[in-house]
Amino acid sequence: MGSRLVIVESPTKARTIAGYLGDDYVVESSMGHIRDLPRNAADVPEQYKGEPWARTGVDVDNDFKPLYVVTPDRRQQVTGLKRLLKAADEVFLATDEDREGEAIAWHLSEVLSPSVPVRRMVFHEITPQAIRQAIANPRDIDRRLVDAQEARRILDRLYGYEVSPVLWRKVLPRLSAGRVQSVATRMVVEREWERMRFVAADYWDIDGTFSTTSDDSFGARLVGLDGGRLATGKDFTSEGRPTREDLVVLSEPAARTLADELTGRPFEVVSVESRPYRRSPAAPFITSTLQQEASRKLRLSSSQAMRAAQSLYEQGFITYMRTDSTTLSDAALSAARAVVAQQYGPEYLPQGARRYTKKVKNAQEAHEAIRPAGEEFRAPAEVARLVGNVEGRLYDLIWRRTVASQMTDAIGETVTVRLRGSTETGRVAEFATSGTVITHQGFQRAYVEDADDGDDSEETNRRLPPMRQGDQLAATALDPKGHTTQPPPRYTEASLVKRLEELGVGRPSTYASIMSTIQDRGYVWKKGSALVPSFTAFAVVRVLEQHFPDLVDYAFTARMEDDLDDIAAGAEESVPWLSRFYFGDVKEAREGRAPARGIAAAGLKQLVSERLDEIDPRAVNAIPIGEDDNGQQVV
């Protein structure tokens, strides 16, 4: 009797799975994709070299038929797989369960052409039980998922190969355009324009230190003067003007004079308001939130975070790390609740399991959130001994986030106190302060989610002395403070990923490669963690915005993602959709079909050929950066 051949993508995954299967199974790696569109002219087989479409590898006039070639660095691996196949009675294609994994499985079946039965084996965690279950419940290759991946690959190839040459001729040689990378670059450039146009405004307030009759001291800030509200940074436009006419904007001299006039004067508590504080835990990680939190908490780039997550998954420590779903299986809910009960106590365990539902566009790929693998979560300390430093820290983050998601709310009380004092001349100044006292930490014992612009931890941990309305206070210090409004912050990888997800541009599995691409191609560079666009990025974005606006339009790009989801769900056919994108709606209209949503009447091919001569290289490469002393524009 022959053996059963199991093919996965990576050697690490192969080693882990081989450890769970008996001697009847041979587990081998394909080393990722074995086949792709040609990368250059040398990859094109001899019989196709004279074809006009050979450069792109897509025959646009023959239903967008792709030309796939075994990549040179995978030929040896394919030979080895064919050799193993000869001794096999059955083949299990155990690649990842998303579109990319489905496509790899399909390419393997096409290239290897097994004469023995072929099974598609899927799982979202690499544990003994999950692997046994996957072996026992195989399925067929899902052609809809393959079609969606193929449509995306062809779309991206046509986009890049048609638009990039425009950039070579009008901006710089060897530049590249990409369906999502160009949109991400545009976002970074737009933020930089906002910063360049920003006009700073100065405003002042007063920080006061006050003491009660029992000598308890606390801090409060000036918030009002003579019945008017004091302006803060949020009250100025990007042009440096107050958003309302009734705001009080203090200058430095006015703030110093007021502080002097209030020194030694009595203050009174005019109100004490308390309200309950309650905060619920965040949902378990999906791909995008994992990248954001790994950036904030661990200072990892998107690609570093995904490499570490991939390693943890392949070694069987976490579930599949490319997911849009916040759902946890019943087994995972039980495991998380068991950890809460054992490590934190029954008072931190809610009555029932918390269930998180995020609207996932493609249910076919909506598996589980990213969580520790198995029906019992391994302790972070145990995993840290078995993996590298980065993987250990990331596992700890995933473990804490998952466990916290099944803990009680943080509960407390927020108290806001307002004080009033007046000068001898009758000016009335109002100060305010607030603090939150946590009475039950809840999920915060395990995990606190970070915010992009800092969190409210200072206020949350500030405890105010007991006070009542009418209490008399003494001002022990009044310190005028100057402030300058700040331009919107540059994107970081974390905030750019968050914004891409909000706009529906790209998919979580692509965000890490997008972040790498825009930096590798010289469009963006890092200053600390901030993403700064290069002058090349300004020029490229100008070309695309002025001459190919649809291609960098956020809503248009998001609709393309929805269309790809429809193809994966079987609600849309890939060939007519690609035809509308490339040739335009005109052809469709002639055939009596309804125009496609969001795709220009002139398709990509016509757009490029028509616009090329319109583009003036001097105009798109002249970047205005302000005016000189004589009011002349500097470019």
Side-chain angles (χ1 to χ4, degrees):
M1 178 184 169
S3 63
R4 291 170 160 186
L5 176 61
V6 179
I7 305 176
V8 299
E9 298 96 328
S10 79
T12 305
K13 192 174 174 184
R15 282 194 297 273
T16 307
I17 291 174
Y20 300 147
L21 297 173
D23 294 339
D24 292 341
Y25 292 87
V26 173
V27 187
E28 186 53 81
S29 160
S30 70
M31 306 294 288
H33 269 288
I34 59 166
R35 206 166 66 149
D36 198 5
L37 300 173
R39 290 177 295 190
N40 49 47
D43 283 353
V44 178
E46 199 61 43
Q47 69 264 37
Y48 296 108
K49 285 193 185 292
E51 298 290 348
W53 51 265
R55 182 179 67 90
T56 62
V58 179
D59 187 352
V60 295
D61 295 316
N62 186 19
D63 285 344
F64 295 86
K65 186 176 175 61
L67 171 63
Y68 290 121
V69 295
V70 175
T71 47
D73 54 354
R74 293 290 181 273
R75 287 172 189 158
Q76 191 175 344
Q77 198 70 15
V78 169
T79 303
L81 290 171
K82 286 181 175 179
R83 189 173 58 250
L84 290 172
L85 187 60
K86 288 177 182 175
D89 290 334
E90 200 173 6
V91 178
F92 287 88
L93 302 175
T95 50
D96 292 337
E97 57 176 342
D98 58 7
R99 294 177 198 173
E100 207 69 30
E102 205 72 20
I104 293 173
W106 177 76
H107 282 294
L108 282 165
S109 70
E110 290 286 300
V111 172
L112 300 178
S113 299
S115 56
V116 295
V118 178
R119 323 281 187 206
R120 177 77 172 103
M121 171 181 164
V122 291
F123 43 85
H124 66 269
E125 62 181 2
I126 303 174
T127 58
Q129 183 188 16
I131 297 303
R132 284 195 297 270
Q133 197 168 358
I135 287 275
N137 298 282
R139 62 166 172 80
D140 293 328
I141 291 172
D142 189 332
R143 271 311 307 248
R144 294 178 307 174
L145 288 186
V146 176
D147 287 347
Q149 188 276 341
E150 190 170 65
R152 178 191 294 274
R153 184 74 188 95
I154 292 170
L155 171 72
D156 289 344
R157 171 57 67 99
L158 294 174
Y159 187 123
Y161 273 50
E162 292 286 356
V163 182
S164 297
V166 176
L167 303 180
W168 304 343
R169 292 175 63 174
K170 303 298 181 178
V171 184
L172 267 180
R174 304 184 68 81
L175 291 179
S176 73
R179 184 174 55 88
V180 181
Q181 79 175 55
S182 296
V183 171
T185 303
R186 179 191 177 196
M187 291 167 64
V188 176
V189 166
E190 280 190 340
R191 179 58 59 87
E192 202 65 23
W193 276 122
E194 288 178 51
R195 291 172 57 81
M196 289 163 71
R197 287 191 292 261
F198 184 82
V199 179
D202 294 326
Y203 63 97
W204 284 69
D205 55 27
I206 299 172
D207 280 349
T209 305
F210 300 86
S211 63
T212 64
T213 51
S214 55
D215 285 339
D216 291 320
S217 66
F218 63 95
R221 179 167 289 174
L222 180 69
V223 293
L225 185 63
D226 299 329
R229 184 168 70 80
L230 210 68
T232 65
K234 291 182 284 190
D235 294 317
F236 292 90
T237 66
S238 58
E239 290 84 32
R241 293 191 292 270
T243 53
R244 286 167 37 187
E245 291 182 5
D246 58 346
L247 291 167
V248 178
V249 182
L250 277 188
S251 64
E252 181 179 2
R256 294 197 181 282
T257 300
L258 181 62
D260 290 341
E261 291 178 353
L262 289 170
T263 299
R265 302 286 295 171
F267 280 79
E268 181 184 348
V269 176
V270 291
S271 69
V272 179
E273 293 180 3
S274 64
R275 63 182 189 277
Y277 171 91
R278 179 179 285 269
R279 190 170 171 185
S280 298
F285 281 131
I286 59 176
T287 308
S288 58
T289 52
L290 176 67
Q291 290 178 28
Q292 291 167 48
E293 284 290 86
S295 173
R296 297 178 189 126
K297 284 184 166 13
L298 307 180
R299 298 291 182 262
L300 298 179
S301 68
S302 295
S303 54
Q304 287 172 326
M306 290 308 287
R307 271 199 304 273
Q310 179 91 35
S311 173
L312 288 168
Y313 164 68
E314 290 179 349
Q315 293 177 76
F317 295 123
I318 65 169
T319 53
Y320 191 54
M321 66 288 152
R322 292 190 181 92
T323 176
D324 285 341
S325 175
T326 53
T327 305
L328 291 176
S329 66
D330 290 341
L333 292 171
S334 299
R337 287 173 63 82
V339 171
V340 175
Q342 291 161 13
Q343 297 206 14
Y344 299 100
E347 67 271 25
Y348 288 92
L349 194 65
Q351 264 194 318
R354 290 183 183 270
R355 296 183 185 272
Y356 298 86
T357 54
K358 180 180 185 291
K359 189 178 180 186
V360 181
K361 290 177 177 162
N362 191 345
Q364 190 71 35
E365 295 174 79
H367 311 300
E368 259 196 274
I370 304 167
R371 62 164 176 87
E375 297 187 358
E376 289 184 13
F377 295 168
R378 292 203 201 190
E382 178 192 342
V383 173
R385 290 194 294 269
L386 304 171
V387 297
N389 176 48
V390 175
E391 287 91 341
R393 290 159 63 215
L394 190 68
Y395 180 84
D396 180 70
L397 198 70
I398 293 166
W399 184 91
R400 290 179 181 280
R401 175 83 162 220
T402 309
V403 170
S405 77
Q406 295 305 311
M407 293 175 73
T408 50
D409 289 351
I411 298 170
E413 184 181 53
T414 298
V415 178
T416 302
V417 180
R418 296 182 86 88
L419 334 166
R420 192 175 290 156
S422 58
T423 66
E424 284 188 1
T425 57
R427 303 202 75 186
V428 179
E430 195 164 287
F431 287 73
T433 187
S434 61
T436 299
V437 176
I438 301 295
T439 53
H440 174 72
Q441 270 190 293
F443 73 92
Q444 292 181 347
R445 278 284 304 277
Y447 188 91
V448 180
E449 186 177 26
D450 280 0
D452 285 320
D453 303 311
D455 55 28
D456 58 358
S457 56
E458 185 183 340
E459 180 185 301
T460 302
N461 295 323
R462 186 189 299 147
R463 186 183 287 270
L464 298 174
M467 284 177 276
R468 289 182 300 181
Q469 186 177 341
D471 283 0
Q472 299 301 300
L473 305 169
T476 56
L478 293 168
D479 185 15
K481 292 276 187 186
H483 308 275
T484 302
T485 56
Q486 297 298 310
R490 287 186 173 113
Y491 282 111
T492 61
E493 286 197 8
S495 60
L496 185 56
V497 164
K498 183 179 181 182
R499 186 64 182 136
L500 286 167
E501 186 186 36
E502 287 169 355
L503 292 169
V505 172
R507 282 291 176 262
S509 59
T510 64
Y511 291 150
S513 65
I514 293 164
M515 296 302 124
S516 299
T517 299
I518 61 176
Q519 292 171 69
D520 295 344
R521 300 282 161 83
Y523 293 136
V524 171
W525 53 280
K526 272 189 175 180
K527 184 178 182 181
S529 61
L531 299 175
V532 186
S534 63
F535 282 121
T536 304
F538 279 92
V540 166
V541 168
R542 175 168 289 190
V543 170
L544 296 175
E545 283 183 332
Q546 291 182 0
H547 301 280
F548 307 97
D550 268 357
L551 299 185
V552 285
D553 179 75
Y554 302 143
F556 176 75
T557 310
R559 280 196 298 270
M560 282 199 281
E561 293 292 351
D562 292 339
D563 291 342
L564 288 165
D565 286 345
D566 288 344
I567 292 168
E572 174 78 78
E573 293 294 325
S574 60
V575 171
W577 182 77
L578 285 166
S579 181
R580 290 194 294 268
F581 174 77
Y582 190 71
F583 292 115
D585 272 348
V586 179
K587 182 180 175 185
E588 299 294 300
R590 283 200 206 106
E591 296 173 5
R593 300 185 197 175
R597 60 183 184 184
I599 295 183
L604 178 68
K605 183 182 180 183
Q606 188 181 338
L607 275 176
V608 170
S609 60
E610 284 181 352
R611 299 287 166 83
L612 196 59
D613 293 335
E614 296 176 10
I615 302 169
D616 178 359
R618 289 169 299 182
V620 296
N621 289 292
I623 302 164
I625 57 173
E627 294 180 350
D628 63 16
D629 295 339
N630 300 321
Q632 296 295 310
Q633 185 70 257
V634 179
V635 297

